[in-house]
Amino acid sequence: GWQQIWRTMVRSLLNESYISPKHATSLCQAAGISLDSDIPATHREKQQKPIHLGRFPDLAGERLAYFFQSLKWIESQRFGSDRGFATSTDAVTGVDFDAGSIPSVTQIIPAYNEVVIPSVDFLRAGAEPEDARNGSPDDQPGLGDLTLPPQGDGVNTNLAFMISQFPDEWIFLTQRLHSQGLIQSSESQELYHDFMRQRLSDICVVEVRMWAAMRCQSVAKTVIGALQYGRALSTLPKIKEYYSQYPEKRLAEDHAEVILAHQTYGHSEGNPLNDEAVRLLLEAYADDALYLVFDLQKGTAPYLWQMVNDYLAARGHYAHGAFQQASVKCMWDKHRRGLRVLEVLPRKFPLRLGQGEYRTQGKACNQLNGLRFASGHYVQALDCNMGTFIGEAFKVPYVLRMFIPLDQEDRSTPRCRYLGFREFIYTAREGTVGKCHAAAEWTFGTINQRFLSGLGIRMHYGHPDFLDGFWARNRGGMSKSSPVVNLSEDIFAGYNVRLREEASPHIDSLEFEKGREATFNAASNFFSKISGGSISVVRSRDNHLLCERIGIVHSMSFYFSSVAFYTSNLLVDFSIQVYVVLFILFNLAGLGPGKLSALGSTFATEWIIAMGLVTLVPQLCELILEYGAVHAVKQAVGGLFASTFFFIFQNKNIAEAMKEGMRTGIARYFFTGRPPANQHQTWKDIFCTYWKSHYKPAFSLATGYLIYTTIAMQNIGEGKLPMVLVLVSMTAWFVTPVLFSPFPRWGLIFQDLCEFNNFITSGAGSHEADIKEVVSRGKKGTVRSLYETGLSEELNVWSEYHLLMLLLQFVFKVACGIAAIFLLPAGVLDFLPVFLVILSLSWVSVLGYFAAGLNNVFLVMSFLLWAAGAPLAPLIIGGRWNSPDSYTRLPEYVISTAVFLFFLFRCKEFVLLLCRCTLKLWPCITNEARVRVMRECIRVCYVYFFVQQILMVEAYIVLCLNAVTAGLLAAIDQVACNSHTWWLLNRELARTPYGDTYMKKGQAPFFELDRLHFGVGSDLWGSDTESDLSASDRADDFDNTTQQGSTDHRAWP
């Protein structure tokens, strides 16, 4: 009965190393049972005891606490019009419970090339400085194109970093393996060093890999989490009784099945290590209802083709070579120790339709590939960053009754089509970036969804919601896959439900685990993806129809529950630029803060406390309700500094991605990779990721602020606003990526500096023959040099952007420039002849650059010639250059430089627009020739109009800022006991002496040493708050602060 459920939950926590063997034994004894069901409990063990969850590991205690607290919801359900919860019939362990009341569920896990199980090589790598460099795709150090991300942090191995994140759970793994007789020593450091020195048995190596897989965002964690539901059902007495009639079936396979829809399994585009890991998973869980669905196509391994052909030949269905694509469903055959084909669905068309950027959405197509083989009444799609605790699986049968309650006579009309529930963001344990991202995801995925559900306007936005399988199959799938428009494919399923006046409620009694990006660059890519996708949402036909039909009141709710967050960020970002320009105009008009104050204008002062802090209030209130006031204030205040810089930067990311989407009409997919939190972020990768979205706007804003400051300096007595928020934003855009980079060590700083300098000065991609490759590399994000970075962007804009959009942008910018000329004092324009003369001299040097075979000496000289402006200026414009003195003329110098560069770039745009329009209208020219001529024109203008030269200057400024920031952080770590590492990653790494490697010298984790030093027992965990619970009190209030009396112990729901 209920004790078997308790034993199953405890075993699951033990097998996943969330508790120690001693913890597991104690928890079972508290319920009056033994851990091993085959060994009867002694009289002493049968005595039920209270459990002090405060002295158990945090995660295990929280999982158990939430499980018991949420059981109240099950008891509160009414399964008939005149009765409530009946233990004998409604509890899954009840004596009269009907196994037929549990609907069947299919869980689909779409996978592409995500990590299935971390490899041995990956876990052992990371500690060498070479591991912190960009790698080559062919895995040959120092050879090929160094475009792959680093393999580690350059200080610790990847396994050591994971241990530092979860030292208690590594100790539990060691104790479990030792108790099972798999290792001789019970010392956790010995297990680590035996793994590093390849002294472990194959079984132990797999155990270590699976331990790591359960603590990172892997396919294995998702698969194991999905299997928990079937495993939970298989422990129920009535389920065992039902399947005893069908000995040929696996337990619960008619009620629960898991489909791993792996798109690249066995394909040349896939990863052989992932294929091996998939087979390992299938073999390890062969007794569960786990299936593999893969795409059979050109490029698939010959042995898979042969396996499918043999299956079809044995049934006489298709002749060899009768089809080119097929969807194949397999399972693991324990007797043959290999895959066995179960079903084959030949297809006429590929899984993804279309070409280039206009191919159908990959994940939606892969979901559909798995859905074709789904047999469950209800379906759940899980991304490869999810999981669940087995205790939550026991509640799923009750949650599914929300679709069709047992007392509903009409079984053809479910009350809802999607059903959402809480999300536990487990990556919050993986450093500061993980905490910031987890806070945002939890706020939206739990707090916001619960609120919208209460208003009756919640829509499905993503996984792991349950959905009506019949409804999904009859509407083409779980999400839309149209190219370009449906980048955020899951949202359109919610639109589909709302357009048909169906419901998508949210419940708070079920909670699945979900991961989010834990490194800064990956988090930025995620925000860029979803914000760019919001533009395609606005452009979609679904959005248009929905806004037409739901009325003004619901339209407002719909707006604020869909794209309002992204639109508001765009408006805030735009207001920053307008704010600075406005004060420049005020100063040019002689209106300083003093006169503005006299006029009663609110512009006379600025707000130091931003309104964005108001958004902290709902989260703070929710934290107080969930964890108590002390914990809530600690979390909110402690994370304020990190959240401020993180979200100032990410809000800019969102705004720029939306601008890009509006200009191009294309929502681009960004692959985040979900790397571990310690992955080093090279300065080259940082620059390539943010040069256009953050650094360019930061330089523009800095120029505007410099103009405002120089003008205000001349208006003595009028005063000057400090513009604190502008300075904070500008600073955050420059330094935040380095601030959130792990392990600022002097050697790594010097290494990054050299690599970034080589990247800036490299000439890769500068030849005419390289243009086609430059375009391809720019789209894939694998540029090799600064030249390729800038040129690929220019080629993309002027070759592929819509001509009308480019014309409108050009006209708007020219109009702004003309307005500025009329607004500026005439004296400012007197300096423009100086710039024109220097420009003509620089063009001679640029001509030499092309004539001398792209010699960089001429390119550098074309920029250095601008230093001759000061001595030549008096010869060109006479005494106006420094009359009455240079300090007085300083504002004119700054403003005239900005005006000249503005119109220089407009001239470039005019030339390129003229070239594109001419080529478009020119008769008798092939499209190939048109593209070639246009690209060559772009390449020439890229250098002649100083795009490359200015980009080089900006890159070197960024290099200096990175060096200063990283050097300051390195000094703080060295002097202040690794305080930056403690703030960004964890305490374990911070306690490692500066310059040393964690666990390198045979030292146990500091967590374990502290316990030994203070004499703490293995079941005590130093918590100030204890919670007592009798394991049989199934409906007691269980919130770590109270203990209630016992209730009926006969059955648990």
Side-chain angles (χ1 to χ4, degrees), residues 209-248:
R209 291 179 63 194
M210 292 303 298
W211 180 89
M214 294 299 291
R215 283 145 189 85
C216 66
Q217 300 182 65
S218 64
V219 176
K221 180 178 179 65
T222 308
V223 169
I224 294 172
L227 290 173
Q228 301 285 36
Y229 180 51
R231 291 186 157 194
L233 294 181
S234 65
T235 64
L236 304 179
K238 289 299 181 179
I239 292 292
K240 292 179 179 179
E241 180 181 330
Y242 171 80
Y243 281 94
S244 64
Q245 307 172 55
Y246 310 98
E248 74 279 3

Side-chain angles (χ1 to χ4, degrees), residues 357-371:
E357 292 183 342
Y358 294 90
R359 299 177 70 192
T360 49
Q361 216 279 344
K363 189 172 77 171
C365 293
N366 202 13
Q367 288 174 354
L368 181 60
N369 199 35
L371 184 64

Side-chain angles (χ1 to χ4, degrees), residues 60 87 139 245 329 372 446 459 495 522 618 704 714 762 784 851 870 873 889 945 992 1017 1049:
T87 301
D139 198 24
Q245 307 172 55
K329 180 181 179 182
R372 293 188 177 110
T446 296
M459 292 188 296
Y495 282 17
Q714 304 298 320
S762 174
R784 300 165 295 179
R889 288 291 189 180
F945 288 95
T992 304
H1049 310 320

